[in-house]
Amino acid sequence: MTQLWDYVHGPGRNEIQVWAKKQKLGVRERAQLNQKIDMLERVGFEVAYHLEFLAGTSGEFNHVFKLVVKSQRMLRPMLCRGPADPHREVTFLCGAIEKDFSLLPANAAEQAEERRQRLIAGLGRRIAHERF
């Protein structure tokens, strides 16, 4: 089973939860998002990637991935493997929505990579994933 983490900024600000609240996710969207996250937790990163409900990002952000959640809006929480144990854990770094094949916010992959680097450098924090 894969261990899930959420990136925390400042004094306990869970960034993925802040994103979800800002998006005002409906009951159906939250359920679909939780379902994909539960599947990721059960099957692990490799199988999830093979089943194509994880997608990579391009270029310099090749360590950042998107969870593919098809809902009323195309939800794309950004995540990375590890970073402490890349074979057993995944960290949600920030949230995004895909519209017309572009991420919103446009800098979501860059923001996720910055947070990943902060975790690697020991400057960022994370907590056990909280369901939506």
Side-chain angles (χ1 to χ4, degrees):
M1 228 164 131
T2 301
Q3 190 170 12
L4 305 176
W5 298 92
D6 293 341
Y7 183 84
V8 176
H9 182 74
R13 180 179 152 159
N14 182 328
E15 290 297 324
I16 199 76
Q17 290 291 330
V18 168
W19 168 77
K21 287 177 185 165
K22 185 177 177 184
Q23 295 303 318
K24 298 179 181 168
L25 299 179
V27 173
R28 184 178 177 147
E29 285 178 314
R30 280 196 312 274
Q32 290 170 315
L33 181 56
N34 281 327
Q35 181 183 29
K36 283 288 173 89
I37 291 171
D38 291 346
M39 284 177 35
L40 171 63
E41 184 177 32
R42 277 194 310 276
V43 303
F45 184 91
E46 295 295 331
V47 173
Y49 193 78
H50 179 71
L51 293 174
E52 298 180 351
F53 67 88
L54 277 180
T57 55
S58 60
E60 61 192 284
F61 309 116
N62 60 354
H63 293 287
V64 173
F65 298 86
K66 303 178 283 191
L67 184 67
V68 177
V69 182
K70 297 174 183 172
S71 189
Q72 291 172 307
R73 296 175 283 179
M74 299 298 146
L75 305 176
R76 300 293 185 261
M78 310 297 284
L79 57 95
C80 68
R81 294 178 85 162
D85 185 352
H87 300 291
R88 294 194 183 120
E89 62 186 32
V90 168
T91 302
F92 291 98
L93 301 164
C94 66
I97 293 186
E98 192 169 321
K99 186 174 182 178
D100 299 327
F101 302 102
S102 296
L103 289 176
L104 299 172
N107 69 340
E110 179 181 357
Q111 183 180 57
E113 177 62 16
E114 286 174 10
R115 290 176 178 175
R116 187 181 80 84
Q117 291 297 330
R118 287 183 60 78
L119 288 171
I120 291 169
L123 301 173
R125 294 186 317 117
R126 58 192 189 145
I127 58 172
H129 174 69
E130 297 176 25
R131 287 181 61 84
F132 297 101

